[in-house]
Amino acid sequence: MSQHPPDAPSVASLGVLTTANGNPVDNNQTSMTAGEYGPVLLQDFHLIDKIAHFDRERIPERVVHAKGAGAHGYFEVTKDISHLTCAKFLNKVGKRTPVFTRFSTVGGELGSADTARDPRGFSVKFYTEEGNWDMVGNNTPIFFIRDPIKFPDFIHTQKRNPQTHLPDPTMVWDFWSLVPESLHQVTILMSDRGIPDGFRHMHGYSSHSLKLVKEDGSYVYVKWHFRTEQGIKNILPEDAERLAGSDPNYATRDLFGAIERGDFPAWKVYVQVIEPEQALKYRFNPFDVTKVVSQKDFPLQEVGRMVLNRNPENYFAEVEQAAFCPSHMVPGIAPSPDRMLQGRLFSYADTHRHRLGANYHQIPINRPISGVANQQRDGAMAINGNGGSAPNYEPNSFGGPSQTNVVAHTHARNFFARGEIARHSYEVTDDDFAQVNALYNLFTEEQKDRLARVIAGGLSQTPVFIQKRQLKHFYRADKDYGRRVESALKAAGSKI
């Protein structure tokens, strides 16, 4: 068979086809058999190797954020914030840092539609000179729950019913109705903001508060905001449903196509800065990820600009194997006591150890440009030389990498935890509904009606006792909100 069909465009040759061990392949069209009509032979290593590898091509998909797209680019500092942090990648206006950004839906599977009504993951890997910082966020500034112990339960409700193997609105609304602090995020999700028009036309947020740490170990809390320069655009439900059938990869195609034609998407990057004393006195707990911190109280301060200007060469190598972990920080950035963040510090890295292996950080897309030096050794797919002949223990007398003894840069000083070791429960109060009220009253009359219809579309499919329970939360947030949803439920055939 011709190596290059005569009717195909002229391209540079990639050389001779080989087996995995480098042996040139003489024939890739037919298997080796005992005679023309005989059985296929086990000695045909090329066949066995090819099929065996094919059988193992799929790795476990992410439990959450399975469907996504990504791109390379850069982050450039546009405003000096060196007075807030010792992070070197932020220490000079005009400084650029390479980034890789992955966008995703949250609850859907790898083959699900890009236009699902679902939050969107918004994660950025900064390849800094001091290691990788992963900003692992979403396109909303809040989340459904505020304690990590509820995360597996919540995600189960977004997946499939264990008996029917179908998406189940009863599971979804039963959980939300029993976790009232979810109403803020539910309102965003069911509003016109719930289905972004691709990945380019949405903001990104750290959602959690993080710390910026100075050289002396003092710190401030910040929330990160990535504001799209393309403008916010969303998709109406009927258009999203149509696209789910005609082009389920709509957002992936849009991002790749824009970059391919030189229309590079960009985001302005800001922080809200909160002094530790302000955090203690603020009306809303800044470490409760079901709440926002008002921009009126803590205005956005410009930091930089992110531009995505290069598509992946290989989706699996660069997007599917990209491992984002909130625990991946660099000097000058540290975690806050946000409970959900604290849970994610463990969970994300642990997921990648399961999904990609203990050496996931050695995969090129995850490898820090600053290099890695430690005593971690062995494990499946150790591909970086495995430390060579250097000592695999510390301390040692033979020049092995040693600690910096600079504690303050990463962990901050004068941060104290006091109190009884116990399971300290959150109490549902009017504060859990105040921000829902404020958000609801930003909507136009048309948007409020559409919100109510979208909610009723799913809620009306649940048992009446769940509808009544959830309706109380809408009324508690805003009486008009409750009335509209109740009216929409009845219009949808509910017996409430």
Side-chain angles (χ1 to χ4, degrees), residues 68-141:
H72 298 268
Y74 64 87
F75 166 80
E76 181 174 356
V77 178
T78 56
K79 296 291 183 181
D80 182 15
I81 62 164
S82 58
H83 60 291
L84 296 176
T85 177
C86 63
K88 289 184 179 179
F89 79 101
L90 296 171
N91 67 4
K92 185 171 62 176
V93 172
K95 190 169 191 176
R96 287 189 176 185
T97 298
V99 300
F100 182 78
T101 299
R102 183 177 185 270
F103 309 103
S104 58
T105 52
V106 174
E109 295 132 350
L110 195 54
S112 58
D114 286 350
T115 55
R117 185 175 295 278
D118 199 10
R120 302 297 190 264
F122 192 114
S123 295
V124 185
K125 188 179 293 291
F126 293 77
Y127 299 93
T128 87
E129 64 262 54
E130 298 177 286
N132 290 351
W133 174 45
D134 290 351
M135 197 299 297
V136 190
N138 282 330
N139 74 319
T140 60

Side-chain angles (χ1 to χ4, degrees), residues 81 83-85 209-214 216-223 271-287 293-294 297-299 301 336-337 413-415:
I81 62 164
H83 60 291
L84 296 176
T85 177
S209 298
L210 299 172
K211 291 190 192 110
L212 287 182
V213 186
K214 303 178 192 179
D216 63 2
S218 60
Y219 64 92
V220 292
Y221 295 111
V222 297
K223 285 181 177 282
V271 290
Q272 288 177 283
V273 179
I274 311 164
E275 296 289 342
E277 299 77 18
Q278 293 174 308
L280 292 174
K281 298 175 182 176
Y282 193 53
R283 173 184 174 184
F284 299 107
N285 180 355
F287 313 123
V293 170
S294 171
D297 298 330
F298 300 95
Q301 300 184 30
S336 77
R413 293 192 184 279
N414 300 316
F415 180 78

Side-chain angles (χ1 to χ4, degrees), residues 158-433:
Q158 305 300 298
K159 298 293 187 177
R160 294 175 180 269
N161 181 289
Q163 179 183 22
T164 66
H165 199 59
L166 295 170
D168 190 340
T170 294
M171 292 166 54
V172 171
W173 286 102
D174 187 33
F175 181 86
W176 285 341
S177 68
L178 293 168
V179 183
E181 62 267 29
S182 65
L183 186 58
H184 196 183
Q185 177 77 319
V186 168
T187 301
I188 292 178
L189 180 63
M190 298 297 162
S191 75
D192 289 353
R193 305 180 188 186
I195 311 176
D197 189 343
F199 299 130
R200 297 184 298 130
H201 296 282
M202 65 184 193
H203 296 329
Y205 304 88
S206 64
S207 301
H208 306 291
S209 298
L210 299 172
K211 291 190 192 110
L212 287 182
V213 186
K214 303 178 192 179
E215 196 78 35
D216 63 2
S218 60
Y219 64 92
V220 292
Y221 295 111
V222 297
K223 285 181 177 282
W224 290 82
H225 296 246
F226 292 68
R227 299 182 70 85
T228 177
E229 293 184 7
Q230 291 70 241
I232 289 288
K233 287 175 64 178
N234 299 300
I235 302 177
L236 293 175
E238 54 270 24
D239 295 326
E241 187 174 352
R242 174 181 55 79
L243 284 167
S246 64
D247 189 3
N249 302 303
Y250 172 80
T252 304
R253 189 185 317 282
D254 175 74
L255 177 67
F256 191 95
I259 294 173
E260 199 73 0
R261 64 178 178 266
D263 183 11
F264 303 138
W267 287 258
K268 285 280 182 65
V269 183
Y270 302 84
V271 290
Q272 288 177 283
V273 179
I274 311 164
E275 296 289 342
E277 299 77 18
Q278 293 174 308
L280 292 174
K281 298 175 182 176
Y282 193 53
R283 173 184 174 184
F284 299 107
N285 180 355
F287 313 123
D288 176 351
V289 75
T290 67
K291 309 285 190 300
V292 296
V293 170
S294 171
Q295 294 177 28
K296 293 178 181 177
D297 298 330
F298 300 95
L300 297 182
Q301 300 184 30
E302 184 179 333
V303 178
R305 185 170 183 257
M306 181 178 77
V307 178
L308 301 181
N309 60 6
R310 180 165 63 89
N311 279 318
E313 286 296 315
N314 184 277
Y315 180 90
F316 182 85
E318 298 165 66
V319 182
E320 188 62 18
Q321 291 193 124
F324 295 89
C325 308
S327 49
H328 289 175
M329 297 187 179
V330 295
I333 298 177
S336 77
D338 180 318
R339 290 190 194 180
M340 279 296 293
L341 172 62
Q342 292 287 319
R344 295 175 78 215
L345 295 177
F346 164 75
S347 178
Y348 277 62
D350 192 54
T351 291
H352 298 310
R353 294 183 193 104
H354 153 70
R355 199 174 68 86
L356 301 170
N359 291 307
Y360 70 88
H361 50 279
Q362 296 182 22
I363 297 171
I365 192 67
N366 301 319
R367 192 182 301 154
I369 60 175
S370 57
V372 174
N374 55 38
Q375 286 76 38
Q376 294 179 12
R377 296 292 187 270
D378 308 342
M381 300 302 294
I383 58 174
N384 66 350
N386 203 36
S389 60
N392 61 354
Y393 60 94
E394 197 282 330
N396 65 74
S397 305
F398 304 101
S402 56
Q403 64 195 42
T404 66
N405 293 316
V406 181
V407 176
H409 294 179
T410 303
H411 302 294
R413 293 192 184 279
N414 300 316
F415 180 78
F416 301 99
R418 301 183 182 90
E420 179 187 3
I421 294 175
R423 297 190 187 276
H424 297 278
S425 299
Y426 282 104
E427 297 298 326
V428 176
T429 69
D430 288 343
D431 280 352
D432 291 302
F433 300 89

